[in-house]
Amino acid sequence: MARPGSGLNGLGYPPQNLARVVVWEWMNEHGRWRPYTAAVCHHIENVLKGDARGTVVLGQVDAQLAPYIIDLQSMHQFRQDTGTMRPVQRNFYEPSSAPGKGVVWEWENDNGSWTPYDMEISVTIQNAYEKQHPWLDLTSLGFCYLIDFNSMSQTNRQSQRKRRLRRRMDLAYPLIMGSIPKSQSWPVGASSGQPCSCQQCILVNSTRAASNAILASQRRKLHGVCCFLRVPALPVKNLTGSGPVHPALAGMTGILMCAAGLPVCLTEPQAHPPVPGINGMRRKTKKKHLRRGKNPEDVVRRYTDKIKAAPDEDCTICMERLSMASGYEGVLQHRGIKPELVGKLGKCGHMYHLLCLVAMYNNGNKDGSLQCPTCKTIYGEKTGTQPPGKMEYHVIPHCLPGYSDSKTIRIVYDIPAGIQTNEHPNPGKKFSARGFPRHCYLPDNDKGRKVLKLLIMAWDRRLIFTIGTSSTTGESDTVVWNEIHHKTEFGSNLTGHGYPDPNYLDNVLTELAAQGVGEDNLKD
């Protein structure tokens, strides 16, 4: 397999008369190169043949990629609705490899949909599969996963969690031989040779000068030349979407001009409007929460009733019979809590040794709440171990797929890296915070605002994030989501974390309720 940039020139052309399969890839927030589909790569190659410095409108080949464009000159992908820029690269693989045969390896994500592996991993899996290996260890590639070809599953070696994987056939990626001739014109029309007049291409064409300025600035830095451009400041209007210019054009132009070191004048900047019915626009994580109980015994007594005659069944905490002493006898000594005492939780009615409940409480967050280990009913106010950070929320004047009649609530979470405390897995050790600030989206309707109110409550209780091991990258001691799913894609649903998703609002309400943040907590 050829490595990126090996034996390449310019945009990454293979040596003359050497056949190679081309795979275009973009870099995600974790620094991983993610492959475009074969159909998208064919489209990019076709545009590249017409103009090696042109721009690719991805929505012309895949409707789900409508917000995205690729500028071949700067080798960046732009997202038109948010202005996000990501690097892209043109990688090469052997014609006999997985992309050359149209083989796609995928794993099943939490939403039940399928996510393709990074191309390097997919090629490695296919090689092992063709050699009829029974399993494959991905540790050498930086992932703590074990692939089992007999059960077609992927196992996390740390958490032992299993996921299904599958092998499917798709369109083969484009095959090239030697260098590709370059055209002198941009952009290339569909048939007449005239520039495309669709809204996306007009928007793209408007950002070309700014993109060229970036490259010119970079070239001056590389050659040690310092010069000052005598250009007027560029007035960038409509950053809030209130004027006739599309906000993506204003946003991208401003970002590009700033990156190039050119002056940008923001005309009458306006803050995003608040969400109707929601007080304020930001929250900060509280460092500590009030402890409801003075000690573990008080907490256990608050939520249980003593049972005089214990039933002849198991305590599901220590697995001893309730009619016998707790399995923690001799391990824990608490004043007033005898090993043989049994209590019944008030709401759900499940029974345990009181000493076992004390042991369970001591092993948790010690926040004054209890959670039934059988049915997960929460007693008191459950709080988490989310590190300090801030949460902001406001309305943006664009609609989400499936909610054409509503504007959009944008939530921005920002948590910096720091040092773990006693409530975290490894006190005193540093933790990382990848991908922040994280942008999430809700429809600005009654149900979306209800979800936002509950998410604010969950944030105040430090339940949105925690410190653990990332299921995406396998990195430990990092900030991860804490079982409350968010939608982080704005105009598409490529990874299952976007819209349309008609069941999402109901699902997240259920997840919030499972954390003790239910609709009954909302004030009228």
Side-chain angles (χ1 to χ4, degrees), residues 303 345-348 350 360 367-384 461 463 483-484 510-518 520-521:
Y303 302 121
L345 290 171
K347 295 180 183 178
C348 62
H350 289 111
M360 182 184 73
D367 58 358
S369 70
L370 277 181
Q371 186 166 13
C372 175
T374 300
C375 66
K376 307 304 180 184
T377 299
I378 295 173
Y379 296 82
E381 183 178 297
K382 178 182 178 181
T383 60
R461 297 182 186 181
L463 294 169
E483 300 180 358
I484 301 175
T510 300
E511 292 173 343
L512 284 161
Q515 298 287 342
V517 184
D520 54 338
N521 296 126

PDB file of all heavy atoms in Angstrom, residues 303 345-348 350 360 367-384 461 463 483-484 510-518 520-521:
ATOM      1  N   TYR A 303     -33.996   6.966  51.876  1.00  0.00           N
ATOM      2  CA  TYR A 303     -34.734   6.406  50.736  1.00  0.00           C
ATOM      3  C   TYR A 303     -35.205   4.968  50.955  1.00  0.00           C
ATOM      4  O   TYR A 303     -35.727   4.361  50.030  1.00  0.00           O
ATOM      5  CB  TYR A 303     -33.841   6.459  49.491  1.00  0.00           C
ATOM      6  CG  TYR A 303     -33.374   7.857  49.156  1.00  0.00           C
ATOM      7  CD1 TYR A 303     -32.009   8.171  49.103  1.00  0.00           C
ATOM      8  CD2 TYR A 303     -34.290   8.879  48.910  1.00  0.00           C
ATOM      9  CE1 TYR A 303     -31.575   9.453  48.802  1.00  0.00           C
ATOM     10  CE2 TYR A 303     -33.865  10.163  48.621  1.00  0.00           C
ATOM     11  CZ  TYR A 303     -32.511  10.446  48.573  1.00  0.00           C
ATOM     12  OH  TYR A 303     -32.087  11.720  48.286  1.00  0.00           O
ATOM     13  N   LEU A 345     -36.460  -0.014  49.041  1.00  0.00           N
ATOM     14  CA  LEU A 345     -36.446   1.309  48.413  1.00  0.00           C
ATOM     15  C   LEU A 345     -37.873   1.804  48.201  1.00  0.00           C
ATOM     16  O   LEU A 345     -38.756   1.044  47.784  1.00  0.00           O
ATOM     17  CB  LEU A 345     -35.688   1.262  47.090  1.00  0.00           C
ATOM     18  CG  LEU A 345     -34.168   1.065  47.217  1.00  0.00           C
ATOM     19  CD1 LEU A 345     -33.545   0.806  45.853  1.00  0.00           C
ATOM     20  CD2 LEU A 345     -33.527   2.282  47.875  1.00  0.00           C
ATOM     21  N   GLY A 346     -38.095   3.083  48.489  1.00  0.00           N
ATOM     22  CA  GLY A 346     -39.446   3.611  48.552  1.00  0.00           C
ATOM     23  C   GLY A 346     -40.235   3.574  47.263  1.00  0.00           C
ATOM     24  O   GLY A 346     -41.411   3.212  47.255  1.00  0.00           O
ATOM     25  N   LYS A 347     -39.623   3.945  46.114  1.00  0.00           N
ATOM     26  CA  LYS A 347     -40.379   4.034  44.859  1.00  0.00           C
ATOM     27  C   LYS A 347     -40.558   2.680  44.184  1.00  0.00           C
ATOM     28  O   LYS A 347     -41.672   2.303  43.822  1.00  0.00           O
ATOM     29  CB  LYS A 347     -39.667   4.986  43.886  1.00  0.00           C
ATOM     30  CG  LYS A 347     -39.606   6.433  44.326  1.00  0.00           C
ATOM     31  CD  LYS A 347     -38.868   7.254  43.279  1.00  0.00           C
ATOM     32  CE  LYS A 347     -38.712   8.700  43.710  1.00  0.00           C
ATOM     33  NZ  LYS A 347     -37.949   9.504  42.714  1.00  0.00           N
ATOM     34  N   CYS A 348     -39.479   1.957  44.022  1.00  0.00           N
ATOM     35  CA  CYS A 348     -39.536   0.725  43.225  1.00  0.00           C
ATOM     36  C   CYS A 348     -39.810  -0.518  44.058  1.00  0.00           C
ATOM     37  O   CYS A 348     -40.244  -1.549  43.525  1.00  0.00           O
ATOM     38  CB  CYS A 348     -38.245   0.536  42.438  1.00  0.00           C
ATOM     39  SG  CYS A 348     -36.773   0.353  43.473  1.00  0.00           S
ATOM     40  N   HIS A 350     -37.675  -2.530  45.559  1.00  0.00           N
ATOM     41  CA  HIS A 350     -36.640  -3.559  45.592  1.00  0.00           C
ATOM     42  C   HIS A 350     -35.926  -3.538  46.943  1.00  0.00           C
ATOM     43  O   HIS A 350     -35.717  -2.470  47.533  1.00  0.00           O
ATOM     44  CB  HIS A 350     -35.643  -3.363  44.449  1.00  0.00           C
ATOM     45  CG  HIS A 350     -36.221  -3.679  43.108  1.00  0.00           C
ATOM     46  ND1 HIS A 350     -36.474  -2.715  42.155  1.00  0.00           N
ATOM     47  CD2 HIS A 350     -36.617  -4.859  42.570  1.00  0.00           C
ATOM     48  CE1 HIS A 350     -36.988  -3.279  41.068  1.00  0.00           C
ATOM     49  NE2 HIS A 350     -37.087  -4.580  41.298  1.00  0.00           N
ATOM     50  N   MET A 360     -22.500   0.384  48.166  1.00  0.00           N
ATOM     51  CA  MET A 360     -22.735   0.867  46.805  1.00  0.00           C
ATOM     52  C   MET A 360     -22.615   2.382  46.750  1.00  0.00           C
ATOM     53  O   MET A 360     -22.012   2.947  45.818  1.00  0.00           O
ATOM     54  CB  MET A 360     -24.123   0.418  46.331  1.00  0.00           C
ATOM     55  CG  MET A 360     -24.445   0.829  44.906  1.00  0.00           C
ATOM     56  SD  MET A 360     -26.144   0.385  44.430  1.00  0.00           S
ATOM     57  CE  MET A 360     -27.072   1.615  45.374  1.00  0.00           C
ATOM     58  N   ASP A 367     -23.008  11.826  46.058  1.00  0.00           N
ATOM     59  CA  ASP A 367     -23.651  13.119  45.859  1.00  0.00           C
ATOM     60  C   ASP A 367     -24.983  13.242  46.584  1.00  0.00           C
ATOM     61  O   ASP A 367     -25.742  14.177  46.355  1.00  0.00           O
ATOM     62  CB  ASP A 367     -23.862  13.376  44.368  1.00  0.00           C
ATOM     63  CG  ASP A 367     -24.710  12.300  43.698  1.00  0.00           C
ATOM     64  OD1 ASP A 367     -25.105  11.341  44.388  1.00  0.00           O
ATOM     65  OD2 ASP A 367     -24.971  12.429  42.485  1.00  0.00           O
ATOM     66  N   GLY A 368     -25.296  12.268  47.448  1.00  0.00           N
ATOM     67  CA  GLY A 368     -26.556  12.316  48.165  1.00  0.00           C
ATOM     68  C   GLY A 368     -27.694  11.613  47.459  1.00  0.00           C
ATOM     69  O   GLY A 368     -28.837  11.672  47.918  1.00  0.00           O
ATOM     70  N   SER A 369     -27.412  10.939  46.349  1.00  0.00           N
ATOM     71  CA  SER A 369     -28.452  10.228  45.612  1.00  0.00           C
ATOM     72  C   SER A 369     -28.150   8.735  45.598  1.00  0.00           C
ATOM     73  O   SER A 369     -27.000   8.323  45.786  1.00  0.00           O
ATOM     74  CB  SER A 369     -28.564  10.745  44.180  1.00  0.00           C
ATOM     75  OG  SER A 369     -27.431  10.358  43.417  1.00  0.00           O
ATOM     76  N   LEU A 370     -29.190   7.943  45.373  1.00  0.00           N
ATOM     77  CA  LEU A 370     -29.058   6.499  45.215  1.00  0.00           C
ATOM     78  C   LEU A 370     -29.707   6.083  43.905  1.00  0.00           C
ATOM     79  O   LEU A 370     -30.671   6.715  43.465  1.00  0.00           O
ATOM     80  CB  LEU A 370     -29.746   5.748  46.365  1.00  0.00           C
ATOM     81  CG  LEU A 370     -28.997   5.560  47.688  1.00  0.00           C
ATOM     82  CD1 LEU A 370     -29.887   4.779  48.647  1.00  0.00           C
ATOM     83  CD2 LEU A 370     -27.684   4.832  47.486  1.00  0.00           C
ATOM     84  N   GLN A 371     -29.193   5.035  43.290  1.00  0.00           N
ATOM     85  CA  GLN A 371     -29.812   4.485  42.098  1.00  0.00           C
ATOM     86  C   GLN A 371     -29.987   2.988  42.289  1.00  0.00           C
ATOM     87  O   GLN A 371     -29.018   2.280  42.589  1.00  0.00           O
ATOM     88  CB  GLN A 371     -28.976   4.754  40.849  1.00  0.00           C
ATOM     89  CG  GLN A 371     -29.671   4.320  39.555  1.00  0.00           C
ATOM     90  CD  GLN A 371     -28.993   4.881  38.312  1.00  0.00           C
ATOM     91  OE1 GLN A 371     -27.890   5.393  38.374  1.00  0.00           O
ATOM     92  NE2 GLN A 371     -29.672   4.802  37.183  1.00  0.00           N
ATOM     93  N   CYS A 372     -31.214   2.525  42.130  1.00  0.00           N
ATOM     94  CA  CYS A 372     -31.501   1.118  42.322  1.00  0.00           C
ATOM     95  C   CYS A 372     -30.705   0.294  41.311  1.00  0.00           C
ATOM     96  O   CYS A 372     -30.812   0.529  40.099  1.00  0.00           O
ATOM     97  CB  CYS A 372     -32.996   0.845  42.171  1.00  0.00           C
ATOM     98  SG  CYS A 372     -33.428  -0.915  42.266  1.00  0.00           S
ATOM     99  N   PRO A 373     -29.902  -0.658  41.766  1.00  0.00           N
ATOM    100  CA  PRO A 373     -29.104  -1.448  40.825  1.00  0.00           C
ATOM    101  C   PRO A 373     -29.932  -2.405  39.980  1.00  0.00           C
ATOM    102  O   PRO A 373     -29.435  -2.922  38.979  1.00  0.00           O
ATOM    103  CB  PRO A 373     -28.138  -2.208  41.740  1.00  0.00           C
ATOM    104  CG  PRO A 373     -28.827  -2.289  43.045  1.00  0.00           C
ATOM    105  CD  PRO A 373     -29.632  -1.038  43.170  1.00  0.00           C
ATOM    106  N   THR A 374     -31.190  -2.615  40.338  1.00  0.00           N
ATOM    107  CA  THR A 374     -32.032  -3.543  39.588  1.00  0.00           C
ATOM    108  C   THR A 374     -32.806  -2.840  38.477  1.00  0.00           C
ATOM    109  O   THR A 374     -32.759  -3.246  37.313  1.00  0.00           O
ATOM    110  CB  THR A 374     -33.017  -4.261  40.526  1.00  0.00           C
ATOM    111  OG1 THR A 374     -32.276  -4.985  41.511  1.00  0.00           O
ATOM    112  CG2 THR A 374     -33.917  -5.222  39.748  1.00  0.00           C
ATOM    113  N   CYS A 375     -33.514  -1.779  38.830  1.00  0.00           N
ATOM    114  CA  CYS A 375     -34.374  -1.104  37.838  1.00  0.00           C
ATOM    115  C   CYS A 375     -33.878   0.279  37.450  1.00  0.00           C
ATOM    116  O   CYS A 375     -34.481   0.933  36.604  1.00  0.00           O
ATOM    117  CB  CYS A 375     -35.800  -1.009  38.360  1.00  0.00           C
ATOM    118  SG  CYS A 375     -35.972   0.054  39.817  1.00  0.00           S
ATOM    119  N   LYS A 376     -32.799   0.742  38.072  1.00  0.00           N
ATOM    120  CA  LYS A 376     -32.155   2.029  37.769  1.00  0.00           C
ATOM    121  C   LYS A 376     -32.973   3.241  38.195  1.00  0.00           C
ATOM    122  O   LYS A 376     -32.678   4.366  37.770  1.00  0.00           O
ATOM    123  CB  LYS A 376     -31.820   2.142  36.271  1.00  0.00           C
ATOM    124  CG  LYS A 376     -31.004   0.981  35.712  1.00  0.00           C
ATOM    125  CD  LYS A 376     -29.718   0.764  36.474  1.00  0.00           C
ATOM    126  CE  LYS A 376     -28.907  -0.397  35.911  1.00  0.00           C
ATOM    127  NZ  LYS A 376     -27.692  -0.679  36.703  1.00  0.00           N
ATOM    128  N   THR A 377     -33.993   3.046  39.035  1.00  0.00           N
ATOM    129  CA  THR A 377     -34.738   4.186  39.562  1.00  0.00           C
ATOM    130  C   THR A 377     -33.805   5.047  40.404  1.00  0.00           C
ATOM    131  O   THR A 377     -33.027   4.536  41.212  1.00  0.00           O
ATOM    132  CB  THR A 377     -35.919   3.715  40.414  1.00  0.00           C
ATOM    133  OG1 THR A 377     -36.802   2.953  39.595  1.00  0.00           O
ATOM    134  CG2 THR A 377     -36.676   4.896  41.015  1.00  0.00           C
ATOM    135  N   ILE A 378     -33.893   6.363  40.224  1.00  0.00           N
ATOM    136  CA  ILE A 378     -33.001   7.289  40.914  1.00  0.00           C
ATOM    137  C   ILE A 378     -33.724   7.921  42.091  1.00  0.00           C
ATOM    138  O   ILE A 378     -34.869   8.381  41.968  1.00  0.00           O
ATOM    139  CB  ILE A 378     -32.483   8.369  39.946  1.00  0.00           C
ATOM    140  CG1 ILE A 378     -31.598   7.727  38.864  1.00  0.00           C
ATOM    141  CG2 ILE A 378     -31.698   9.440  40.687  1.00  0.00           C
ATOM    142  CD1 ILE A 378     -31.182   8.683  37.769  1.00  0.00           C
ATOM    143  N   TYR A 379     -33.055   7.962  43.208  1.00  0.00           N
ATOM    144  CA  TYR A 379     -33.574   8.594  44.414  1.00  0.00           C
ATOM    145  C   TYR A 379     -32.706   9.806  44.730  1.00  0.00           C
ATOM    146  O   TYR A 379     -31.496   9.685  44.890  1.00  0.00           O
ATOM    147  CB  TYR A 379     -33.558   7.610  45.583  1.00  0.00           C
ATOM    148  CG  TYR A 379     -34.480   6.427  45.380  1.00  0.00           C
ATOM    149  CD1 TYR A 379     -34.072   5.337  44.624  1.00  0.00           C
ATOM    150  CD2 TYR A 379     -35.758   6.416  45.921  1.00  0.00           C
ATOM    151  CE1 TYR A 379     -34.919   4.257  44.415  1.00  0.00           C
ATOM    152  CE2 TYR A 379     -36.619   5.339  45.722  1.00  0.00           C
ATOM    153  CZ  TYR A 379     -36.186   4.263  44.968  1.00  0.00           C
ATOM    154  OH  TYR A 379     -37.035   3.202  44.757  1.00  0.00           O
ATOM    155  N   GLY A 380     -33.334  10.975  44.808  1.00  0.00           N
ATOM    156  CA  GLY A 380     -32.573  12.199  45.009  1.00  0.00           C
ATOM    157  C   GLY A 380     -32.136  12.789  43.682  1.00  0.00           C
ATOM    158  O   GLY A 380     -32.653  12.444  42.613  1.00  0.00           O
ATOM    159  N   GLU A 381     -31.175  13.675  43.729  1.00  0.00           N
ATOM    160  CA  GLU A 381     -30.675  14.351  42.527  1.00  0.00           C
ATOM    161  C   GLU A 381     -29.321  13.793  42.153  1.00  0.00           C
ATOM    162  O   GLU A 381     -28.326  14.027  42.823  1.00  0.00           O
ATOM    163  CB  GLU A 381     -30.574  15.856  42.778  1.00  0.00           C
ATOM    164  CG  GLU A 381     -30.124  16.647  41.556  1.00  0.00           C
ATOM    165  CD  GLU A 381     -30.074  18.137  41.827  1.00  0.00           C
ATOM    166  OE1 GLU A 381     -31.149  18.709  42.107  1.00  0.00           O
ATOM    167  OE2 GLU A 381     -28.969  18.715  41.771  1.00  0.00           O
ATOM    168  N   LYS A 382     -29.294  13.042  41.072  1.00  0.00           N
ATOM    169  CA  LYS A 382     -28.055  12.437  40.611  1.00  0.00           C
ATOM    170  C   LYS A 382     -27.162  13.489  39.959  1.00  0.00           C
ATOM    171  O   LYS A 382     -27.622  14.293  39.151  1.00  0.00           O
ATOM    172  CB  LYS A 382     -28.355  11.318  39.615  1.00  0.00           C
ATOM    173  CG  LYS A 382     -27.121  10.644  39.035  1.00  0.00           C
ATOM    174  CD  LYS A 382     -27.499   9.574  38.017  1.00  0.00           C
ATOM    175  CE  LYS A 382     -26.271   8.938  37.388  1.00  0.00           C
ATOM    176  NZ  LYS A 382     -26.637   7.916  36.373  1.00  0.00           N
ATOM    177  N   THR A 383     -25.896  13.480  40.308  1.00  0.00           N
ATOM    178  CA  THR A 383     -24.926  14.354  39.652  1.00  0.00           C
ATOM    179  C   THR A 383     -23.777  13.512  39.117  1.00  0.00           C
ATOM    180  O   THR A 383     -23.582  12.371  39.528  1.00  0.00           O
ATOM    181  CB  THR A 383     -24.376  15.421  40.623  1.00  0.00           C
ATOM    182  OG1 THR A 383     -23.744  14.770  41.721  1.00  0.00           O
ATOM    183  CG2 THR A 383     -25.496  16.318  41.129  1.00  0.00           C
ATOM    184  N   GLY A 384     -23.024  14.103  38.200  1.00  0.00           N
ATOM    185  CA  GLY A 384     -21.942  13.366  37.559  1.00  0.00           C
ATOM    186  C   GLY A 384     -20.577  13.913  37.916  1.00  0.00           C
ATOM    187  O   GLY A 384     -20.408  14.634  38.901  1.00  0.00           O
ATOM    188  N   ARG A 461     -26.018  19.595  36.498  1.00  0.00           N
ATOM    189  CA  ARG A 461     -25.757  18.428  37.353  1.00  0.00           C
ATOM    190  C   ARG A 461     -24.522  17.650  36.903  1.00  0.00           C
ATOM    191  O   ARG A 461     -24.251  16.571  37.402  1.00  0.00           O
ATOM    192  CB  ARG A 461     -26.983  17.506  37.351  1.00  0.00           C
ATOM    193  CG  ARG A 461     -28.227  18.159  37.927  1.00  0.00           C
ATOM    194  CD  ARG A 461     -29.394  17.186  37.952  1.00  0.00           C
ATOM    195  NE  ARG A 461     -30.628  17.842  38.382  1.00  0.00           N
ATOM    196  CZ  ARG A 461     -31.805  17.221  38.505  1.00  0.00           C
ATOM    197  NH1 ARG A 461     -31.893  15.926  38.223  1.00  0.00           N
ATOM    198  NH2 ARG A 461     -32.867  17.896  38.890  1.00  0.00           N
ATOM    199  N   LEU A 463     -23.775  16.035  34.046  1.00  0.00           N
ATOM    200  CA  LEU A 463     -24.120  14.728  33.502  1.00  0.00           C
ATOM    201  C   LEU A 463     -23.878  14.593  32.002  1.00  0.00           C
ATOM    202  O   LEU A 463     -24.008  13.500  31.449  1.00  0.00           O
ATOM    203  CB  LEU A 463     -25.599  14.420  33.787  1.00  0.00           C
ATOM    204  CG  LEU A 463     -25.990  14.237  35.253  1.00  0.00           C
ATOM    205  CD1 LEU A 463     -27.510  14.220  35.395  1.00  0.00           C
ATOM    206  CD2 LEU A 463     -25.384  12.965  35.818  1.00  0.00           C
ATOM    207  N   GLU A 483     -23.654   9.156  27.803  1.00  0.00           N
ATOM    208  CA  GLU A 483     -24.906   8.426  27.586  1.00  0.00           C
ATOM    209  C   GLU A 483     -26.106   9.321  27.301  1.00  0.00           C
ATOM    210  O   GLU A 483     -27.242   8.884  27.432  1.00  0.00           O
ATOM    211  CB  GLU A 483     -25.208   7.506  28.778  1.00  0.00           C
ATOM    212  CG  GLU A 483     -24.128   6.455  29.020  1.00  0.00           C
ATOM    213  CD  GLU A 483     -24.448   5.549  30.199  1.00  0.00           C
ATOM    214  OE1 GLU A 483     -25.496   5.768  30.842  1.00  0.00           O
ATOM    215  OE2 GLU A 483     -23.655   4.632  30.474  1.00  0.00           O
ATOM    216  N   ILE A 484     -25.869  10.574  26.928  1.00  0.00           N
ATOM    217  CA  ILE A 484     -26.940  11.455  26.452  1.00  0.00           C
ATOM    218  C   ILE A 484     -26.544  11.889  25.044  1.00  0.00           C
ATOM    219  O   ILE A 484     -25.641  12.710  24.876  1.00  0.00           O
ATOM    220  CB  ILE A 484     -27.138  12.672  27.371  1.00  0.00           C
ATOM    221  CG1 ILE A 484     -27.482  12.233  28.795  1.00  0.00           C
ATOM    222  CG2 ILE A 484     -28.238  13.580  26.828  1.00  0.00           C
ATOM    223  CD1 ILE A 484     -27.565  13.373  29.799  1.00  0.00           C
ATOM    224  N   THR A 510     -35.867  10.224  26.723  1.00  0.00           N
ATOM    225  CA  THR A 510     -35.756   8.964  27.463  1.00  0.00           C
ATOM    226  C   THR A 510     -34.388   8.839  28.128  1.00  0.00           C
ATOM    227  O   THR A 510     -34.273   8.413  29.283  1.00  0.00           O
ATOM    228  CB  THR A 510     -35.989   7.777  26.519  1.00  0.00           C
ATOM    229  OG1 THR A 510     -37.300   7.881  25.937  1.00  0.00           O
ATOM    230  CG2 THR A 510     -35.893   6.459  27.269  1.00  0.00           C
ATOM    231  N   GLU A 511     -33.326   9.217  27.398  1.00  0.00           N
ATOM    232  CA  GLU A 511     -31.978   9.150  27.956  1.00  0.00           C
ATOM    233  C   GLU A 511     -31.813  10.118  29.125  1.00  0.00           C
ATOM    234  O   GLU A 511     -31.152   9.794  30.122  1.00  0.00           O
ATOM    235  CB  GLU A 511     -30.948   9.451  26.865  1.00  0.00           C
ATOM    236  CG  GLU A 511     -30.865   8.370  25.794  1.00  0.00           C
ATOM    237  CD  GLU A 511     -29.970   8.749  24.632  1.00  0.00           C
ATOM    238  OE1 GLU A 511     -29.659   9.943  24.468  1.00  0.00           O
ATOM    239  OE2 GLU A 511     -29.576   7.848  23.874  1.00  0.00           O
ATOM    240  N   LEU A 512     -32.394  11.293  29.004  1.00  0.00           N
ATOM    241  CA  LEU A 512     -32.321  12.261  30.094  1.00  0.00           C
ATOM    242  C   LEU A 512     -33.068  11.745  31.321  1.00  0.00           C
ATOM    243  O   LEU A 512     -32.591  11.878  32.454  1.00  0.00           O
ATOM    244  CB  LEU A 512     -32.895  13.599  29.636  1.00  0.00           C
ATOM    245  CG  LEU A 512     -31.992  14.422  28.710  1.00  0.00           C
ATOM    246  CD1 LEU A 512     -32.786  15.470  27.954  1.00  0.00           C
ATOM    247  CD2 LEU A 512     -30.876  15.085  29.515  1.00  0.00           C
ATOM    248  N   ALA A 513     -34.244  11.148  31.088  1.00  0.00           N
ATOM    249  CA  ALA A 513     -35.019  10.601  32.203  1.00  0.00           C
ATOM    250  C   ALA A 513     -34.243   9.498  32.912  1.00  0.00           C
ATOM    251  O   ALA A 513     -34.319   9.353  34.138  1.00  0.00           O
ATOM    252  CB  ALA A 513     -36.361  10.085  31.704  1.00  0.00           C
ATOM    253  N   ALA A 514     -33.470   8.713  32.148  1.00  0.00           N
ATOM    254  CA  ALA A 514     -32.676   7.645  32.746  1.00  0.00           C
ATOM    255  C   ALA A 514     -31.581   8.202  33.647  1.00  0.00           C
ATOM    256  O   ALA A 514     -31.076   7.492  34.526  1.00  0.00           O
ATOM    257  CB  ALA A 514     -32.054   6.777  31.653  1.00  0.00           C
ATOM    258  N   GLN A 515     -31.208   9.465  33.455  1.00  0.00           N
ATOM    259  CA  GLN A 515     -30.223  10.120  34.313  1.00  0.00           C
ATOM    260  C   GLN A 515     -30.890  10.912  35.436  1.00  0.00           C
ATOM    261  O   GLN A 515     -30.224  11.664  36.154  1.00  0.00           O
ATOM    262  CB  GLN A 515     -29.348  11.063  33.472  1.00  0.00           C
ATOM    263  CG  GLN A 515     -28.546  10.386  32.394  1.00  0.00           C
ATOM    264  CD  GLN A 515     -27.388   9.581  32.950  1.00  0.00           C
ATOM    265  OE1 GLN A 515     -26.970   9.774  34.080  1.00  0.00           O
ATOM    266  NE2 GLN A 515     -26.860   8.651  32.150  1.00  0.00           N
ATOM    267  N   GLY A 516     -32.219  10.763  35.561  1.00  0.00           N
ATOM    268  CA  GLY A 516     -32.942  11.479  36.609  1.00  0.00           C
ATOM    269  C   GLY A 516     -33.333  12.878  36.227  1.00  0.00           C
ATOM    270  O   GLY A 516     -33.750  13.677  37.091  1.00  0.00           O
ATOM    271  N   VAL A 517     -33.215  13.221  34.942  1.00  0.00           N
ATOM    272  CA  VAL A 517     -33.584  14.556  34.464  1.00  0.00           C
ATOM    273  C   VAL A 517     -34.831  14.383  33.603  1.00  0.00           C
ATOM    274  O   VAL A 517     -34.746  14.221  32.381  1.00  0.00           O
ATOM    275  CB  VAL A 517     -32.443  15.205  33.659  1.00  0.00           C
ATOM    276  CG1 VAL A 517     -32.810  16.628  33.269  1.00  0.00           C
ATOM    277  CG2 VAL A 517     -31.152  15.189  34.457  1.00  0.00           C
ATOM    278  N   GLY A 518     -35.986  14.386  34.230  1.00  0.00           N
ATOM    279  CA  GLY A 518     -37.239  14.140  33.526  1.00  0.00           C
ATOM    280  C   GLY A 518     -38.072  15.388  33.375  1.00  0.00           C
ATOM    281  O   GLY A 518     -37.766  16.449  33.945  1.00  0.00           O
ATOM    282  N   ASP A 520     -40.806  16.015  34.627  1.00  0.00           N
ATOM    283  CA  ASP A 520     -41.414  16.427  35.883  1.00  0.00           C
ATOM    284  C   ASP A 520     -40.514  17.390  36.658  1.00  0.00           C
ATOM    285  O   ASP A 520     -40.958  18.027  37.623  1.00  0.00           O
ATOM    286  CB  ASP A 520     -41.726  15.210  36.754  1.00  0.00           C
ATOM    287  CG  ASP A 520     -40.506  14.318  36.981  1.00  0.00           C
ATOM    288  OD1 ASP A 520     -39.570  14.393  36.167  1.00  0.00           O
ATOM    289  OD2 ASP A 520     -40.504  13.558  37.961  1.00  0.00           O
ATOM    290  N   ASN A 521     -39.252  17.528  36.235  1.00  0.00           N
ATOM    291  CA  ASN A 521     -38.344  18.483  36.876  1.00  0.00           C
ATOM    292  C   ASN A 521     -38.547  19.902  36.375  1.00  0.00           C
ATOM    293  O   ASN A 521     -38.029  20.848  36.984  1.00  0.00           O
ATOM    294  CB  ASN A 521     -36.880  18.086  36.619  1.00  0.00           C
ATOM    295  CG  ASN A 521     -36.517  16.749  37.238  1.00  0.00           C
ATOM    296  OD1 ASN A 521     -36.024  15.863  36.570  1.00  0.00           O
ATOM    297  ND2 ASN A 521     -36.769  16.592  38.527  1.00  0.00           N
TER     298      ASN A 521
END
